[in-house]
Amino acid sequence: MSGSEANQRFVSEATVEPEHIARARAHALELGAQPVSAPVGAQMAVIAAASRARSIIEVGTGGGVSGLWLLRGAPGATLTTIDSEPEHLGAARQAFADAKIPAARARFITGRASDVLPRMNEASYDIVLIDADPEGVIEYVEHGLRLVRAGGTVLVPRVLAGGAVSDPVRRDPQTAAYRSLIQETQASPAVIGALSITGEGLLQLTTLPETP
């Protein structure tokens, strides 16, 4: 086992997932959803807590797992979750109810991100999580950056595409999209970007106010 693999395994084993999130994960996996890993969820919770998030929107419910991690970090926030799979949204709704999250703090929207995001209010969210349709990730991140307030953060898990992004031989459309997203945002003066390699990877983009 390489040092990198050993580190990944240690982080995975060291991350303690709360029981209610572990139950949501088990149900999500039964439905065929792909929830974020516990290490990535924990990072998202820290970001939500550090930013004192009050309004969060996510694309892709992961059966409720990602939303529960975000609300763990920002227990007073309101979460809007979007998914094209009604069954996944139903699982998230049940997971939130089991976690005793008040109904007024969660909004569930069935639909494709490309249809829903253009209708959401600009500069109205502290955090936008993009976890759906890899082929549309660049478009969704552009919407996410429009939706967050100045100083808000867009989170994109799975950007390493299981190691494909770092492999120069891989040039399929999905890998190319993730690679372009990372390179373009790292060079952008409009955001501060950081890429975590823990778990499946997490791209973090925090917007900067316009300079006078």
Side-chain angles (χ1 to χ4, degrees), residues 41-127:
Q43 288 184 66
M44 289 164 31
V46 168
I47 293 167
S51 60
R52 298 183 180 180
R54 303 296 300 176
S55 185
I56 301 171
I57 185 168
E58 66 171 359
V59 179
T61 68
V65 172
S66 51
L68 290 174
W69 272 114
L70 288 164
L71 291 175
R72 177 172 170 79
T78 299
L79 175 75
T80 298
T81 183
I82 303 165
D83 204 298
S84 60
E85 295 288 344
E87 197 173 18
H88 294 179
L89 276 172
R93 191 187 300 273
Q94 185 60 55
F96 285 18
D98 292 345
K100 304 294 191 291
I101 293 172
R105 285 180 46 215
R107 180 186 180 197
F108 303 88
I109 300 176
T110 304
R112 291 184 58 83
S114 55
D115 297 326
V116 178
L117 290 177
R119 302 200 303 266
M120 307 308 287
N121 292 331
E122 185 172 341
S124 298
Y125 299 90
D126 300 301
I127 293 176

Side-chain angles (χ1 to χ4, degrees), residues 5 9 16 23 25 30 37 47 51 78-79 86 93 113 115 118 128 150 163 167 170-171 186 188 196 200 209:
E5 290 171 333
R9 179 175 177 179
V16 177
R23 287 195 299 270
R25 179 181 302 282
E30 288 175 1
S37 65
I47 293 167
S51 60
T78 299
L79 175 75
R93 191 187 300 273
D115 297 326
V128 176
D167 182 355
R170 293 288 297 271
R171 299 183 181 276
Q186 289 295 304
S188 172
S196 167
E200 61 273 35

Side-chain angles (χ1 to χ4, degrees), residues 120-193:
M120 307 308 287
N121 292 331
E122 185 172 341
S124 298
Y125 299 90
D126 300 301
I127 293 176
V128 176
L129 172 68
I130 305 295
D131 187 24
D133 301 333
E135 62 275 10
V137 66
I138 292 178
E139 175 191 352
Y140 301 158
V141 169
E142 288 175 349
H143 280 300
L145 293 172
R146 178 182 62 82
L147 295 178
V148 291
R149 300 184 178 97
T153 299
V154 176
L155 300 173
V156 190
R158 304 181 218 281
V159 289
L160 299 178
V165 168
S166 61
D167 182 355
V169 176
R170 293 288 297 271
R171 299 183 181 276
D172 57 276
Q174 178 179 322
T175 301
Y178 278 135
R179 195 177 285 137
S180 294
L181 173 65
I182 294 168
Q183 292 170 343
E184 290 174 13
T185 53
Q186 289 295 304
S188 172
V191 299
I192 294 177

Side-chain angles (χ1 to χ4, degrees), residues 4-24:
S4 177
E5 290 171 333
N7 287 339
Q8 291 278 13
R9 179 175 177 179
F10 177 81
V11 170
S12 180
E13 293 176 350
T15 302
V16 177
E17 186 161 64
E19 269 188 47
H20 68 286
I21 303 181
R23 287 195 299 270

